[in-house]
Amino acid sequence: MSAYLTAANQLRTVRILSVRDDTPTIKSFLFRDRFAAKALPGQFVMIWIPGVDEVPMSLSTIDSKEGAVAITAEKVGEATSKLHRMKVGDIIGIRGPFGNGYTLTKARNVMIAGGGTGIASLAPLTEKIAKQKGFRITFLLGAKTCGELLFLERMKTVLATMNHRIVVTTEDGSYGIKGLITEPAEQLLAKEKFDMIYACGPEKMMCKMFVLTERFHVPFQASLERLMRCAIGLCGTCVIGKFRVCRDGPVFSGKQLREVRNEFGQFKRGFDSRKIAI
Ligand SMILES: Cc1cc2nc3c(=O)[nH]c(=O)nc-3n(C[C@H](O)[C@H](O)[C@H](O)COP(=O)(O)OP(=O)(O)OC[C@H]3O[C@@H](n4cnc5c(N)ncnc54)[C@H](O)[C@@H]3O)c2cc1C
């Protein structure tokens, strides 16, 4: 069946069940949707904000038992500003889940590195890994400043019962180590052998992580963002090299990123296809 005709691609409307202020500019919205509740960590949905636009959002909570999911949106423009004004009981539209999601491997010593709203897609992944035995997770969380650290308490709770380490960086030094998460990542990689590194965040950060994983020969998965319209591989807006991020990604392996090295971390395409520097 074509991607266009799948049940998951049909627009559903859902009521917002709860709204949580995560940081001054980021809010999480919980709702029920039976398709999204079966998503894999790293998959995304298209959220229709009535009267404004339809935008891609990662699933930041996937509760298959309750049939509920959440998105965690930063207020950056028109659609996300309208979303931020919405209240419990308001209606939004949803299509998806789309994309591939992160691949869980038998890797035992795992590093998970997230910056900004990138933590949204990494949180369900961390929860899934934490349910399995025998893993060690090094969780690296970065933000510009203390008030923008997303899901720190949630990750502390999730990881509490397992072998773990949490490293926090802020650019202004208001919490944890002052600087970028790529700095402690490099130090850790120089000392220890990791089996897999997952990353999501600003593309410059993911690109630095990619370079580190190449240098230290560690398998890598990163979730990319590009402008998206159809989300099912038809419109080509989200193209990076030979890949379409909505269909071939949004999660790409280190091997795939090597193939698009001249675009990854360099530029993305605007809705008019013109290059925009990253
Ligand atoms: C797979 C994927 C997952 C994402 N997950 C999250 C998430 O969990 N939380 C979150 O806050 N943001 C996420 N984003 C980014 C989010 O989609 C954009 O911030 C949002 O579309 C902005 O819409 P706007 O109208 O508020 O802003 P606009 O005024 O339209 O634009 C502001 C900026 O947002 C980006 N943007 C605009 N439209 C799109 C679009 N259709 N697709 C991608 N980027 C766009 C552009 O870079 C633009 O400069 C994700 C993007 C992708 C591709």
Side-chain angles (χ1 to χ4, degrees), residues 147-161:
E148 290 177 15
L149 284 167
L150 190 59
F151 296 168
L152 177 57
E153 292 311 312
R154 175 175 166 189
M155 290 302 104
K156 280 184 184 168
T157 309
V158 169
L159 296 171
T161 55

Side-chain angles (χ1 to χ4, degrees), residues 12-117:
R12 290 92 63 190
T13 52
V14 294
R15 264 183 211 286
I16 296 170
L17 297 177
S18 77
V19 180
R20 190 186 59 226
D21 290 326
D22 293 310
T23 76
T25 54
I26 299 174
K27 288 187 183 189
S28 291
F29 302 83
L30 185 83
F31 50 88
R32 278 185 212 290
D33 180 74
R34 68 188 174 99
F35 290 106
K38 289 189 194 134
L40 300 169
Q43 284 193 291
F44 69 96
V45 289
M46 292 300 286
I47 296 291
W48 173 60
I49 320 289
V52 186
D53 203 354
E54 193 188 34
V55 291
M57 286 284 152
S58 304
L59 292 165
S60 57
T61 294
I62 305 170
D63 187 341
S64 50
K65 268 194 207 147
E66 295 294 321
V69 293
I71 52 163
T72 297
E74 183 172 18
K75 187 163 83 168
V76 293
E78 214 189 345
T80 47
S81 296
K82 169 82 189 289
L83 182 63
H84 269 235
R85 291 195 297 276
M86 295 181 91
K87 307 253 175 312
V88 171
D90 285 349
I91 286 175
I92 52 174
I94 176 170
R95 287 191 295 131
F98 298 115
N100 54 359
Y102 298 100
T103 305
L104 289 185
T105 64
K106 291 197 171 70
R108 292 290 155 194
N109 196 17
V110 171
M111 181 187 285
I112 300 177
T117 53

Side-chain angles (χ1 to χ4, degrees), residues 41-42 59-62 119-129 154:
L59 292 165
S60 57
T61 294
I62 305 170
I119 305 298
S121 80
L122 294 170
L125 170 75
T126 310
E127 282 163 351
K128 193 159 184 176
I129 296 176
R154 175 175 166 189

